[in-house]
PDB file of all heavy atoms in Angstrom:
ATOM      1  N   LYS A 220       8.075  -1.696  -2.871  1.00  0.00           N
ATOM      2  CA  LYS A 220       9.211  -1.350  -2.019  1.00  0.00           C
ATOM      3  C   LYS A 220      10.522  -1.603  -2.771  1.00  0.00           C
ATOM      4  O   LYS A 220      11.429  -0.770  -2.746  1.00  0.00           O
ATOM      5  CB  LYS A 220       9.168  -2.161  -0.727  1.00  0.00           C
ATOM      6  CG  LYS A 220      10.152  -1.699   0.323  1.00  0.00           C
ATOM      7  CD  LYS A 220      10.060  -2.543   1.591  1.00  0.00           C
ATOM      8  CE  LYS A 220       8.774  -2.237   2.320  1.00  0.00           C
ATOM      9  NZ  LYS A 220       8.685  -2.893   3.645  1.00  0.00           N
ATOM     10  N   ASP A 221      10.618  -2.744  -3.447  1.00  0.00           N
ATOM     11  CA  ASP A 221      11.816  -3.040  -4.243  1.00  0.00           C
ATOM     12  C   ASP A 221      12.014  -2.016  -5.347  1.00  0.00           C
ATOM     13  O   ASP A 221      13.139  -1.577  -5.613  1.00  0.00           O
ATOM     14  CB  ASP A 221      11.736  -4.441  -4.845  1.00  0.00           C
ATOM     15  CG  ASP A 221      12.002  -5.537  -3.822  1.00  0.00           C
ATOM     16  OD1 ASP A 221      12.511  -5.222  -2.720  1.00  0.00           O
ATOM     17  OD2 ASP A 221      11.696  -6.704  -4.131  1.00  0.00           O
ATOM     18  N   ARG A 222      10.923  -1.627  -6.003  1.00  0.00           N
ATOM     19  CA  ARG A 222      11.022  -0.618  -7.074  1.00  0.00           C
ATOM     20  C   ARG A 222      11.573   0.692  -6.531  1.00  0.00           C
ATOM     21  O   ARG A 222      12.460   1.311  -7.125  1.00  0.00           O
ATOM     22  CB  ARG A 222       9.658  -0.383  -7.711  1.00  0.00           C
ATOM     23  CG  ARG A 222       9.161  -1.513  -8.547  1.00  0.00           C
ATOM     24  CD  ARG A 222       7.776  -1.228  -9.090  1.00  0.00           C
ATOM     25  NE  ARG A 222       7.317  -2.370  -9.855  1.00  0.00           N
ATOM     26  CZ  ARG A 222       6.068  -2.805  -9.872  1.00  0.00           C
ATOM     27  NH1 ARG A 222       5.138  -2.177  -9.164  1.00  0.00           N
ATOM     28  NH2 ARG A 222       5.733  -3.858 -10.589  1.00  0.00           N
ATOM     29  N   VAL A 223      11.033   1.142  -5.412  1.00  0.00           N
ATOM     30  CA  VAL A 223      11.455   2.410  -4.819  1.00  0.00           C
ATOM     31  C   VAL A 223      12.915   2.335  -4.383  1.00  0.00           C
ATOM     32  O   VAL A 223      13.725   3.219  -4.711  1.00  0.00           O
ATOM     33  CB  VAL A 223      10.554   2.788  -3.621  1.00  0.00           C
ATOM     34  CG1 VAL A 223      11.150   3.931  -2.816  1.00  0.00           C
ATOM     35  CG2 VAL A 223       9.148   3.148  -4.099  1.00  0.00           C
ATOM     36  N   LEU A 224      13.275   1.296  -3.647  1.00  0.00           N
ATOM     37  CA  LEU A 224      14.628   1.202  -3.106  1.00  0.00           C
ATOM     38  C   LEU A 224      15.682   1.006  -4.186  1.00  0.00           C
ATOM     39  O   LEU A 224      16.764   1.592  -4.116  1.00  0.00           O
ATOM     40  CB  LEU A 224      14.704   0.080  -2.069  1.00  0.00           C
ATOM     41  CG  LEU A 224      13.835   0.288  -0.827  1.00  0.00           C
ATOM     42  CD1 LEU A 224      13.919  -0.904   0.098  1.00  0.00           C
ATOM     43  CD2 LEU A 224      14.200   1.572  -0.111  1.00  0.00           C
ATOM     44  N   ASN A 225      15.379   0.198  -5.200  1.00  0.00           N
ATOM     45  CA  ASN A 225      16.339   0.002  -6.293  1.00  0.00           C
ATOM     46  C   ASN A 225      16.592   1.294  -7.049  1.00  0.00           C
ATOM     47  O   ASN A 225      17.744   1.637  -7.353  1.00  0.00           O
ATOM     48  CB  ASN A 225      15.851  -1.093  -7.248  1.00  0.00           C
ATOM     49  CG  ASN A 225      15.927  -2.471  -6.640  1.00  0.00           C
ATOM     50  OD1 ASN A 225      16.688  -2.711  -5.711  1.00  0.00           O
ATOM     51  ND2 ASN A 225      15.120  -3.385  -7.157  1.00  0.00           N
ATOM     52  N   GLU A 226      15.529   2.013  -7.353  1.00  0.00           N
ATOM     53  CA  GLU A 226      15.717   3.264  -8.104  1.00  0.00           C
ATOM     54  C   GLU A 226      16.368   4.333  -7.242  1.00  0.00           C
ATOM     55  O   GLU A 226      17.206   5.090  -7.723  1.00  0.00           O
ATOM     56  CB  GLU A 226      14.381   3.762  -8.651  1.00  0.00           C
ATOM     57  CG  GLU A 226      14.505   4.985  -9.539  1.00  0.00           C
ATOM     58  CD  GLU A 226      15.365   4.776 -10.775  1.00  0.00           C
ATOM     59  OE1 GLU A 226      15.467   3.644 -11.279  1.00  0.00           O
ATOM     60  OE2 GLU A 226      15.947   5.781 -11.251  1.00  0.00           O
ATOM     61  N   LEU A 227      16.021   4.399  -5.962  1.00  0.00           N
ATOM     62  CA  LEU A 227      16.641   5.374  -5.073  1.00  0.00           C
ATOM     63  C   LEU A 227      18.144   5.109  -4.952  1.00  0.00           C
ATOM     64  O   LEU A 227      18.950   6.039  -5.049  1.00  0.00           O
ATOM     65  CB  LEU A 227      15.977   5.349  -3.695  1.00  0.00           C
ATOM     66  CG  LEU A 227      16.547   6.297  -2.654  1.00  0.00           C
ATOM     67  CD1 LEU A 227      16.485   7.748  -3.123  1.00  0.00           C
ATOM     68  CD2 LEU A 227      15.793   6.139  -1.340  1.00  0.00           C
ATOM     69  N   SER A 228      18.523   3.852  -4.774  1.00  0.00           N
ATOM     70  CA  SER A 228      19.945   3.513  -4.692  1.00  0.00           C
ATOM     71  C   SER A 228      20.664   3.872  -5.987  1.00  0.00           C
ATOM     72  O   SER A 228      21.771   4.422  -5.964  1.00  0.00           O
ATOM     73  CB  SER A 228      20.125   2.017  -4.415  1.00  0.00           C
ATOM     74  OG  SER A 228      19.671   1.711  -3.127  1.00  0.00           O
ATOM     75  N   ARG A 229      20.031   3.577  -7.105  1.00  0.00           N
ATOM     76  CA  ARG A 229      20.633   3.913  -8.405  1.00  0.00           C
ATOM     77  C   ARG A 229      20.830   5.419  -8.551  1.00  0.00           C
ATOM     78  O   ARG A 229      21.872   5.889  -8.993  1.00  0.00           O
ATOM     79  CB  ARG A 229      19.754   3.369  -9.531  1.00  0.00           C
ATOM     80  CG  ARG A 229      20.438   3.340 -10.881  1.00  0.00           C
ATOM     81  CD  ARG A 229      19.554   2.703 -11.942  1.00  0.00           C
ATOM     82  NE  ARG A 229      18.529   3.583 -12.447  1.00  0.00           N
ATOM     83  CZ  ARG A 229      18.755   4.677 -13.163  1.00  0.00           C
ATOM     84  NH1 ARG A 229      19.963   5.061 -13.421  1.00  0.00           N
ATOM     85  NH2 ARG A 229      17.757   5.418 -13.602  1.00  0.00           N
ATOM     86  N   GLN A 230      19.827   6.187  -8.138  1.00  0.00           N
ATOM     87  CA  GLN A 230      19.914   7.644  -8.237  1.00  0.00           C
ATOM     88  C   GLN A 230      20.995   8.199  -7.312  1.00  0.00           C
ATOM     89  O   GLN A 230      21.750   9.084  -7.700  1.00  0.00           O
ATOM     90  CB  GLN A 230      18.562   8.285  -7.907  1.00  0.00           C
ATOM     91  CG  GLN A 230      17.499   8.060  -8.953  1.00  0.00           C
ATOM     92  CD  GLN A 230      17.813   8.742 -10.258  1.00  0.00           C
ATOM     93  OE1 GLN A 230      18.386   9.827 -10.298  1.00  0.00           O
ATOM     94  NE2 GLN A 230      17.449   8.092 -11.350  1.00  0.00           N
ATOM     95  N   LEU A 231      21.064   7.702  -6.083  1.00  0.00           N
ATOM     96  CA  LEU A 231      22.082   8.180  -5.139  1.00  0.00           C
ATOM     97  C   LEU A 231      23.488   7.850  -5.642  1.00  0.00           C
ATOM     98  O   LEU A 231      24.401   8.681  -5.553  1.00  0.00           O
ATOM     99  CB  LEU A 231      21.848   7.571  -3.753  1.00  0.00           C
ATOM    100  CG  LEU A 231      20.624   8.076  -3.004  1.00  0.00           C
ATOM    101  CD1 LEU A 231      20.335   7.201  -1.791  1.00  0.00           C
ATOM    102  CD2 LEU A 231      20.788   9.524  -2.600  1.00  0.00           C
ATOM    103  N   GLN A 232      23.662   6.663  -6.194  1.00  0.00           N
ATOM    104  CA  GLN A 232      24.967   6.281  -6.719  1.00  0.00           C
ATOM    105  C   GLN A 232      25.342   7.103  -7.946  1.00  0.00           C
ATOM    106  O   GLN A 232      26.510   7.430  -8.138  1.00  0.00           O
ATOM    107  CB  GLN A 232      24.993   4.782  -7.021  1.00  0.00           C
ATOM    108  CG  GLN A 232      24.972   3.961  -5.750  1.00  0.00           C
ATOM    109  CD  GLN A 232      24.697   2.489  -5.968  1.00  0.00           C
ATOM    110  OE1 GLN A 232      24.633   2.013  -7.092  1.00  0.00           O
ATOM    111  NE2 GLN A 232      24.525   1.758  -4.868  1.00  0.00           N
TER     112      GLN A 232
END
Side-chain angles (χ1 to χ4, degrees):
K220 191 180 289 187
D221 284 346
R222 289 177 182 143
V223 168
L224 296 177
N225 289 337
E226 185 60 28
L227 179 58
S228 292
R229 195 176 79 67
Q230 290 294 325
L231 290 168
Q232 290 168 7

